[in-house]
Amino acid sequence: MAKRVKSRAPTAARRYQMVEATDLTGGLDLRRSLSLLEPDRARTLRNFSLTNPGELVMRPGYRQFSTRNLGNARIQGGQRVYLTSTTFTRVAWNGGVYGLSDAGVLDSTALYSSIASTSEVFFPYDRELVAVMDGANRPRKSTDGITWTLMGIEASSLTSTLSSVSSGSLSASEFEIGFTYKDRGTGHESNGGVVSTRTLSATGALHVEVPNSTDAHVDAIILYARNKTAAETVLRKVSSAAQQGGVSDNSTYRVESSAWSANAEIPTNHNVPAAYKFAVPWKNRWWAAHPTVGNRIHFTELFLNQAWPTLFYIDIPFERGDDIHAIVPQGDTLLVFGSRKVFLIIGQTSLDFEVRPSAGTQAGALGFRAVCAIENGILHASAEGVFIFDGATDRYLGFDIEVGWRDLIANATNAQLEQVAIAYEFRRKEVRIAVSRLYPTGTAGEWVLDLNRTREQERPAWTTTDRPVGIYILHDGDEPTAGLTGLLLTTHASTQGTVWEESTGTSANSSNLVGEYEGPAFATGIHRARLIDVRGEYEPHAGAFSVEPLVDDVSQG
């Protein structure tokens, strides 16, 4: 007879459920729960580097670069300036312009101190000069970063005094005399002021007394004349000479010949600039956003960076009352960003321009600092997110951090959003975005996009830092000193007048660097689960390491 079949109690080996995380540095994904995160994605990745795939490595440290703290207030602006003759760094703080040496020595007194003390300040420059713009005062300019004078030269409201002299070759006619002021250092000349008239009853000359300019950078006076009796219609250049004496004196000149028929005409379009907010050089002109007409962009006369003719402007046809938030040159195209839309000013030469709406862009920019030219396009941060414009279309880069970006837009003030800054640290191939509110901490910090990891895995690789950055100052030009190319300086977001050097050393200004990682977790079912034991395996190479399990966001020690 066959043996009876008996049932046997099931047995199960005691094995730990494994949650594999093969690469801890694939980037952030804030859209999914921890149980749905992919093995190479993280929910929190603060102060870690994405440079080495498969390794959880701390970011390089930072240190205080400036030798002093200007005070308990935010630095308003900063720029590394590259002129033909010199290279320097300038910052704006509490209404003044301060110098910062390459060794970190920050001036204790301002080089210039008549800018708005609360406005955002910008330092546009070309090969010849740098300007300081705050949107409230007429711009000042400098050719060496030390001496700052008004940008442009005001035409005189005073008249010259004319008298007759018997010796000379001027015919017996009625003459009209005008004059302009000139800065020989930059070659810029003012418009002509009020003209004076004098009739010679016999052949002779004119003795001219011209009131001196009160502008410190004016060092020459140019005389212009026309023979009204001979029906000459324009004033033409007679002579140029140095201004004599002080600002309260008169300079004297003599006009003895009327051989000016082929000379240059007196300037009529060398108008001084208004209180512009920001500007960029493009197509041999400067372009600036108007201080009061929000959709108007002004531009200078060709090759004259201080001459702003009154009628040289374009009104951008923004919709819904939008204003100009940023201007970025890119080849033959000038991109004009509103808050929601982008227009393109296309100019194949410096003389003809065409304005077109950009059908391929999806959003605008939060402010002038919220745009950045990188390797293959223009990165711009807007209320809709972070995009890159490649010249034709926008590509959305902020899908994985959309939760955090929505938190910023919903809770930050308009002033804080206008201060959002972007920099491309090309030495590390990282895009850094400074924000006043970083998710989920609610404090100031940075979103960091690693471009190498983004290309490698074909999806954006984001991480964060806890650096409260206000302004980026990138050394991205022809540096006279070896080792300075690519140097990235930052300022504090709100409470310090200090300048910091980024991506240097292994410490946070002599303190410990602290990183935080929160990666995938296993699913515990719909209702509840019982955790008997939790084990982790990790090999730290340096520093302290700790693990803290949380259940329903409650620490289990």
Side-chain angles (χ1 to χ4, degrees), residues 282-285 287 299 302-303 331-334 345-354:
W282 179 68
K283 289 293 181 181
N284 301 310
R285 305 174 189 265
W287 300 72
F299 55 95
L302 184 63
F303 298 117
D332 288 335
T333 304
L334 185 68
I345 300 178
I346 301 173
Q348 295 185 0
T349 70
S350 301
L351 300 175
D352 60 320
F353 305 104
E354 182 180 356

Side-chain angles (χ1 to χ4, degrees), residues 261-550:
S261 60
N263 293 348
E265 298 180 13
I266 191 169
T268 58
N269 62 354
H270 291 194
N271 302 76
V272 299
Y276 296 125
K277 299 178 181 178
F278 47 81
V280 296
W282 179 68
K283 289 293 181 181
N284 301 310
R285 305 174 189 265
W286 278 40
W287 300 72
H290 195 276
T292 57
V293 183
N295 68 323
R296 178 168 295 177
I297 183 170
H298 267 253
F299 55 95
T300 65
E301 182 60 89
L302 184 63
F303 298 117
L304 298 177
N305 51 16
Q306 299 186 66
W308 299 79
T310 304
L311 299 180
F312 279 32
Y313 67 85
I314 299 173
D315 285 339
I316 306 299
F318 285 125
E319 301 172 355
R320 297 187 293 273
D322 205 352
D323 295 337
I324 297 174
H325 282 207
I327 311 171
V328 182
Q330 186 183 42
D332 288 335
T333 304
L334 185 68
L335 283 73
V336 183
F337 289 85
S339 62
R340 295 291 183 271
K341 195 173 181 63
V342 180
F343 276 82
L344 310 179
I345 300 178
I346 301 173
Q348 295 185 0
T349 70
S350 301
L351 300 175
D352 60 320
F353 305 104
E354 182 180 356
V355 180
R356 296 180 184 176
S358 175
T361 54
Q362 305 176 43
L366 294 173
F368 186 71
R369 293 193 178 98
V371 293
C372 179
I374 62 172
E375 297 168 349
N376 56 352
I378 303 296
L379 203 75
H380 55 109
S382 67
E384 291 85 350
V386 182
F387 298 82
I388 184 171
F389 180 68
D390 61 6
T393 58
D394 261 345
R395 177 191 173 197
Y396 185 43
L397 300 176
F399 188 59
D400 291 329
I401 63 168
E402 188 171 342
V403 174
W405 198 261
R406 285 202 304 263
D407 174 74
L408 169 70
I409 301 302
N411 294 283
T413 64
N414 288 337
Q416 289 173 329
L417 292 179
E418 290 176 0
Q419 293 171 358
V420 170
I422 299 179
Y424 173 45
E425 190 178 5
F426 56 84
R427 290 193 302 189
R428 294 180 52 81
K429 295 298 182 289
E430 289 181 342
V431 173
R432 302 173 63 160
I433 306 178
V435 294
S436 61
R437 180 182 174 91
L438 185 68
Y439 182 85
T441 62
T443 58
E446 294 176 302
W447 297 105
V448 180
L449 177 65
D450 190 302
L451 295 186
N452 282 339
R453 290 303 302 270
T454 296
R455 293 189 188 95
E456 182 177 304
Q457 60 194 23
E458 297 184 352
R459 60 182 177 184
W462 291 94
T463 182
T464 64
T465 79
D466 56 8
R467 297 285 295 119
V469 173
I471 295 166
Y472 295 104
I473 305 174
L474 179 63
H475 292 51
D476 58 352
D478 185 12
E479 289 291 340
T481 304
L484 291 182
T485 300
L487 176 68
L488 181 64
L489 304 179
T490 61
T491 65
H492 196 274
S494 59
T495 61
Q496 296 180 25
T498 51
V499 179
W500 302 77
E501 180 182 354
E502 300 295 318
S503 302
T504 181
T506 59
S507 69
N509 200 37
S510 301
S511 300
N512 291 331
L513 279 168
V514 178
E516 184 177 354
Y517 167 81
E518 185 180 12
F522 56 85
T524 59
I526 297 177
H527 301 293
R528 61 183 177 179
R530 184 182 182 189
L531 305 179
I532 303 300
D533 194 7
V534 176
R535 295 192 180 187
E537 188 173 316
Y538 180 72
E539 182 183 353
H541 291 273
F545 179 77
S546 63
V547 176
E548 182 182 9
L550 289 87

Side-chain angles (χ1 to χ4, degrees), residues 29-246:
D29 186 348
L30 303 182
R31 299 169 296 110
R32 293 179 173 85
S33 67
L34 292 176
S35 60
L36 296 180
L37 280 179
E38 297 180 33
D40 62 343
R41 308 296 269 178
R43 185 67 178 270
T44 302
L45 198 59
R46 186 170 298 115
N47 291 334
F48 284 112
S49 172
L50 308 187
T51 303
N52 302 330
E55 298 181 12
L56 194 62
V57 179
M58 293 295 298
R59 290 183 58 81
Y62 56 89
R63 67 180 181 89
Q64 184 171 327
F65 182 76
S66 62
T67 55
R68 70 177 72 250
N69 182 356
L70 290 174
N72 189 25
R74 181 179 186 270
I75 288 180
Q76 300 169 258
Q79 183 67 52
R80 183 67 168 176
V81 178
Y82 300 91
L83 303 182
T84 303
S85 58
T86 184
T87 300
F88 51 84
T89 303
R90 294 294 178 265
V91 299
W93 179 82
N94 196 31
V97 175
Y98 292 80
L100 177 67
S101 75
D102 292 345
V105 179
L106 187 58
D107 291 343
S108 58
T109 57
L111 298 169
Y112 176 74
S113 57
S114 293
I115 57 178
S117 60
T118 58
S119 302
E120 292 300 297
V121 176
F122 303 96
F123 294 89
Y125 67 93
D126 57 16
R127 294 178 63 86
E128 179 183 334
L129 59 83
V130 58
V132 54
M133 295 183 176
D134 59 10
N137 297 288
R138 181 175 148 194
R140 263 59 178 174
K141 60 100 174 44
S142 176
T143 57
D144 58 7
I146 299 174
T147 302
W148 295 81
T149 54
L150 280 170
M151 192 176 190
I153 302 175
E154 290 279 5
S156 176
S157 60
L158 303 175
T159 60
S160 59
T161 301
L162 308 181
S163 58
S164 302
V165 180
S166 59
S167 61
S169 59
L170 285 181
S171 62
S173 303
E174 183 182 10
F175 293 94
E176 194 172 71
I177 301 295
F179 64 92
T180 62
Y181 296 129
K182 184 176 182 178
D183 174 9
R184 287 176 169 175
T186 62
H188 182 67
E189 187 178 351
S190 73
N191 280 335
V194 183
V195 298
S196 301
T197 302
R198 180 79 177 188
T199 301
L200 292 181
S201 57
T203 302
L206 287 175
H207 177 78
V208 185
E209 293 188 11
V210 179
N212 286 346
S213 172
T214 58
D215 284 352
H217 59 299
V218 171
D219 54 9
I221 294 175
I222 303 178
L223 293 184
Y224 293 83
R226 73 183 179 103
N227 189 330
K228 296 179 66 176
T229 304
E232 293 179 355
T233 57
V234 296
L235 293 160
R236 294 189 179 275
K237 183 177 178 180
V238 176
S239 65
S240 175
Q243 183 170 269
Q244 307 159 13

